[in-house]
């Protein structure tokens, strides 16, 4: 909870970063361009049945990335990693300005920055200050009628440094990865005949040097975790991904991170990386099962999966960027379906809606500041929240800490709640603020019968709750979770399942 006694004046001093013209002429322009690009890519892609970005998971019932979006995102994540490793590093050494990468990489970079806490940790660890802000001003100069048109310098600089085609449609059908066990190079196809390509969920291949090993996404996750885990046993200043900052994101918390490492060592032992990998058949799921069933530990084992969430994706990044990309495209679809891109919404409507959204964002931040709870948000409000994050993660961090007392994260995670009391209080906070204080709808505000309210539907839309959970008896971590919930299940809520909020 913040101790800021002059909230409105402080908030007003930050709004130059997200004025209505900036929101309308820069951020909405990029959202439309990203939406057009992804829909066109999926419609023209080679993946059968991938013309849409979402499918419903038969087990969870939630929507997730379609096979086509999974493939497109996997390629973009790989290319983002190449860009960070080569172009950014080389330009920093030379002291020159950054040229812009391809649009697929920019979309992924956008989704990456919209995970402020893991993004901040990654750029801190890798010393990449250039990546703090999203170059929205430069990007919109290259957008014409919803189409991204890079300069010749952009394309030449990319080819000279990253050394792969600028157009993702022209990259080779294969990619080189590292075996998680022996680190040997494996050349694998992006797409396989049975959905077993590297860019597909069913990825599966072998390693000539490790005949007993099946290399799949689970094995890559295990390799990522074991590399960090064994390094942290050697280096006493090392912590696992996602544990660098304290619970509020205000300062580094190496001591807290080391407690977690020590507890994991007690459970998993001090064997070498490969011995541990062989013991668990190079399966992150097997490692999680061992941790979950541990008896003699101070860790709350029911929260292990959430705590090690950075190791549930095999990329070098802390955030799960495939899920973030899906959430961002889903977010952009709400504007397309709402007529924001086809001329159905005129300029006057957009200005009015975004003006209201900035004030909604003020009230949203105030509620977080005063109650340490977060309510659900409209997509228009979320544009403002995005713009705030994209100005630069260090700036966003310092401003949200000043306003709310914490680094206000935008990260999806699940948590266990002892009761539904805090969740229901968060909901009540927003319904009492009838239409964010603008009045008009009484008891029906934000319910399915309300079509005028700028907020998302209370019952069918994500709601945010900030809860505090003890993962270790002496280590407290603040976790933000969101869920879609009905009135009848709210009272009996014990576990809130996380969705992505963008």
């Amino acid at each position: 909870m913040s101790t800021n006694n002059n909230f409105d004046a402080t908030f007003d001093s930050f709004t130059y970063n997200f004025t209505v013209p900036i929101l309308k002429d820069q951020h909405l322009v990029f959202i439309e361009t990203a939406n057009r690009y992804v829909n066109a890519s999926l419609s023209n892609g080679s993946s059968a049945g991938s013309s849409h970005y979402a499918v419903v998971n038969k087990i969870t019932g939630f929507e997730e990335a379609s096979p086509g979006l999974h493939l497109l995102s996997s390629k973009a994540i790989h290319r983002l990693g190449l860009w960070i490793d080569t172009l950014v590093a080389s330009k920093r050494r030379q002291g020159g300005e950054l040229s812009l990468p391809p649009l697929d990489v920019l979309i992924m970079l956008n989704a990456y920055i919209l995970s402020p806490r893991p993004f901040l940790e990654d750029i801190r660890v890798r010393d990449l200050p250039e990546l703090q802000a999203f170059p929205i001003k430069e990007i919109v100069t290259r957008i014409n009628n919803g189409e991204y048109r890079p300069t010749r310098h952009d394309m030449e600089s990319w080819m000279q440094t990253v050394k792969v085609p600028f157009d993702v449609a022209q990259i080779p059908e294969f990619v080189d990865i590292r075996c998680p066990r022996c680190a040997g190079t494996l050349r694998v196809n992006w797409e396989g005949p049975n959905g077993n390509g590297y860019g597909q969920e069913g990825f599966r291949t072998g390693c000539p040097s490790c005949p007993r090993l099946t290399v799949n996404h689970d094995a890559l996750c295990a390799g990522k975790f074991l590399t960090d885990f064994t390094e942290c046993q050697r280096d006493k200043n090392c912590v696992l991904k996602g544990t660098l900052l304290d619970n509020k994101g205000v300062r580094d918390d190496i001591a807290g991170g080391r407690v977690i490492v020590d507890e994991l060592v007690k459970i998993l032992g001090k064997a070498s990386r490969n011995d541990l990998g062989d013991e668990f058949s190079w399966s992150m799921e097997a490692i999680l099962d061992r941790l979950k069933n541990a008896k003699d530990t101070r860790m709350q084992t029911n929260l292990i999966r959430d705590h090690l969430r950075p190791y549930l994706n095999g990329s070098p990044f802390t955030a799960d960027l495939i899920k973030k990309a899906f959430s961002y495209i889903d977010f952009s679809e709400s504007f397309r379906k709402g007529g924001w891109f086809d001329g159905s919404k005129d300029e006057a409507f957009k200005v009015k809606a975004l003006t209201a959204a900035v004030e909604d964002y003020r009230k949203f931040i105030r509620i977080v500041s005063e109650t340490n709870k977060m309510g659900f948000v409209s997509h228009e409000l979320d544009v403002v929240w995005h713009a705030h994050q994209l100005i630069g993660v260090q700036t966003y961090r310092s401003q949200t800490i000043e306003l709310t007392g914490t680094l206000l994260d935008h990260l999806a995670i699940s948590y266990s709640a002892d009761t539904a009391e805090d969740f229901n209080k968060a909901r009540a906070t927003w319904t009492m603020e009838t239409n964010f204080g603008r009045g008009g709808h009484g008891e029906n505000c934000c319910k399915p019968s309300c079509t005028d309210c700028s907020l998302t539907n209370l019952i069918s839309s994500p709601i945010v709750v900030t809860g505090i959970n003890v993962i270790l008896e002496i280590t407290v971590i603040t976790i933000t979770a969101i869920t879609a919930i009905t009135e009848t299940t709210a009272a009996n809520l014990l576990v809130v399942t996380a969705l992505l909020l963008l």
Side-chain angles (χ1 to χ4, degrees):
M1 187 176 296
S2 173
T3 57
N4 190 331
N5 296 320
N6 197 10
F7 177 89
D8 285 320
T10 303
F11 182 90
D12 288 339
S13 70
F14 298 151
T15 57
Y16 68 89
N17 294 307
F18 40 87
T19 63
V20 170
I22 290 176
L23 297 172
K24 181 174 68 70
D25 300 330
Q26 294 183 15
H27 291 279
L28 277 176
V29 168
F30 180 77
I31 292 169
E32 177 182 2
T33 304
N35 182 270
R36 289 175 180 267
Y37 169 80
V38 170
N39 279 320
S41 297
L42 297 185
S43 297
N44 298 327
S46 60
S47 296
S50 63
S51 60
H52 196 259
Y53 71 99
V55 293
V56 176
N57 186 304
K58 295 181 180 179
I59 297 177
T60 66
F62 295 134
E63 286 191 335
E64 58 187 31
S66 69
L69 183 58
H70 195 283
L71 176 62
L72 185 66
S73 298
S74 297
K75 292 179 179 180
I77 291 169
H78 176 72
R79 285 153 60 83
L80 174 64
L82 294 177
W83 182 64
I84 290 175
D85 289 343
T86 57
L87 181 60
V88 175
S90 65
K91 286 297 180 182
R92 182 173 71 245
R93 289 194 299 270
Q94 297 169 10
E97 295 183 0
L98 292 176
S99 58
L100 295 184
L103 184 56
D104 63 310
V105 175
L106 287 172
I107 293 172
M108 198 57 66
L109 176 62
N110 181 285
Y112 189 21
I113 297 175
L114 293 177
S115 302
R117 186 178 179 113
F119 177 69
L120 176 62
E121 290 200 10
D122 283 355
I123 65 171
R124 286 272 309 282
V125 170
R126 299 191 65 179
D127 188 25
L128 296 171
E130 296 88 346
L131 285 183
Q132 287 193 40
F134 190 65
I136 188 69
K137 293 181 181 179
E138 293 77 12
I139 292 171
V140 295
T141 64
R142 292 157 168 82
I143 294 176
N144 190 344
N145 293 324
E147 182 180 351
Y148 179 65
R149 299 180 179 179
T151 66
R152 182 175 180 178
H153 174 69
D154 292 336
M155 293 185 285
E156 290 178 347
S157 183
W158 172 271
M159 288 298 297
Q160 290 171 2
T161 55
V162 184
K163 303 186 188 310
V164 297
F166 192 88
D167 186 347
V168 67
Q170 298 177 2
I171 67 172
E173 296 180 353
F174 57 83
V175 60
D176 290 337
I177 64 171
R178 295 287 184 182
C179 170
R181 188 180 190 280
C182 69
T185 299
L186 303 177
R187 177 158 291 185
V188 295
N189 288 334
W190 282 108
E191 292 185 86
N194 301 310
N196 60 350
Y198 180 66
Q200 298 170 299
E201 288 193 86
F203 169 58
R204 183 184 179 92
T205 191
C207 173
S209 301
C210 308
R212 296 183 179 181
L213 174 65
T214 297
V215 180
N216 52 23
H217 290 306
D218 187 31
L220 296 177
C221 291
K224 177 181 178 179
F225 168 73
L226 292 173
T227 295
D228 289 357
F229 177 58
T230 52
E231 175 62 25
C232 286
Q233 293 182 54
R234 291 190 291 267
D235 182 355
K236 297 305 180 183
N237 291 316
C238 171
V239 295
L240 296 174
K241 287 179 172 61
T243 66
L244 175 63
L245 302 176
D246 68 4
N247 64 307
K248 292 186 176 182
V250 175
R251 61 183 61 87
D252 291 356
D253 185 19
I254 301 297
R258 290 301 307 176
V259 171
I260 294 171
V261 171
D262 292 342
E263 286 297 309
L264 292 177
V265 170
K266 290 180 183 177
I267 301 171
L268 300 178
K270 290 186 176 182
S272 69
R273 178 183 181 279
N274 279 1
D275 285 345
L276 279 173
D278 290 343
E279 178 182 350
F280 292 100
S281 301
W282 292 93
S283 169
M284 190 65 203
E285 291 298 327
I287 294 172
L288 290 172
D289 284 344
R290 171 71 64 83
L291 296 173
K292 181 179 178 180
N293 294 318
K295 302 299 182 182
D296 186 18
T297 177
R298 292 177 293 170
M299 303 185 76
Q300 287 197 0
T301 53
N302 61 312
L303 298 177
I304 289 293
R305 191 176 191 88
D306 293 331
H307 179 59
L308 295 182
R309 190 166 294 274
Y311 299 100
L312 299 183
N313 79 86
S315 80
F317 305 110
T318 297
D320 187 335
L321 294 185
I322 288 182
K323 289 184 178 179
K324 295 297 289 185
F326 163 72
S327 189
Y328 185 76
I329 298 306
D330 187 54
F331 162 78
S332 73
E333 277 286 289
S334 68
F335 287 94
R336 184 187 67 81
K337 294 175 181 177
W340 285 69
F341 303 156
D342 63 6
S344 299
K345 306 296 188 187
D346 60 21
E347 292 298 297
F349 173 89
K350 293 178 181 179
V351 169
K352 182 179 179 180
L354 293 173
T355 299
V358 173
E359 288 308 304
D360 288 349
Y361 185 59
R362 178 199 301 273
K363 293 181 176 68
F364 171 76
I365 297 295
R366 179 187 285 279
I367 287 175
V368 175
S369 173
E370 294 178 353
T371 69
N372 200 33
K373 302 284 190 297
M374 290 195 289
F376 57 96
V377 301
S378 67
H379 288 101
E380 292 88 347
L381 186 156
D382 216 10
V383 173
V384 186
W385 196 0
H386 285 197
H388 195 183
Q389 295 171 78
L390 295 173
I391 63 175
V393 68
Q394 290 286 15
T395 301
Y396 174 77
R397 176 196 194 189
S398 64
Q399 290 181 355
T400 55
I401 287 174
E402 186 171 356
L403 288 168
T404 70
T406 187
L407 165 59
L408 188 57
D409 208 352
H410 202 248
L411 186 67
I413 196 166
S414 63
Y415 75 104
S416 296
D418 293 333
T419 69
E421 181 180 357
D422 286 345
F423 181 78
N424 289 327
K425 285 180 179 178
R427 296 170 70 225
T429 300
W430 290 86
T431 54
M432 288 187 297
E433 290 279 339
T434 306
N435 201 18
F436 275 107
R438 296 201 295 274
H441 304 297
E443 292 183 356
N444 288 328
C445 181
C446 306
K447 293 186 177 179
S449 59
C450 174
T451 58
D452 300 321
C453 182
S454 72
L455 307 183
T456 22
N457 178 284
L458 174 64
I459 294 176
S460 64
S461 299
I463 301 171
V464 180
V465 181
T466 298
I468 296 178
N469 296 285
V470 182
I471 288 185
L472 292 168
E473 292 176 357
I474 58 176
T475 305
V476 180
I477 296 180
T478 298
I479 297 178
T480 298
I482 59 182
T483 185
I485 183 171
T486 64
E487 296 282 351
T488 55
T489 58
N492 299 317
L493 179 68
L494 296 177
V495 178
V496 178
T497 303
L499 305 174
L500 286 170
L501 175 63
L502 283 173

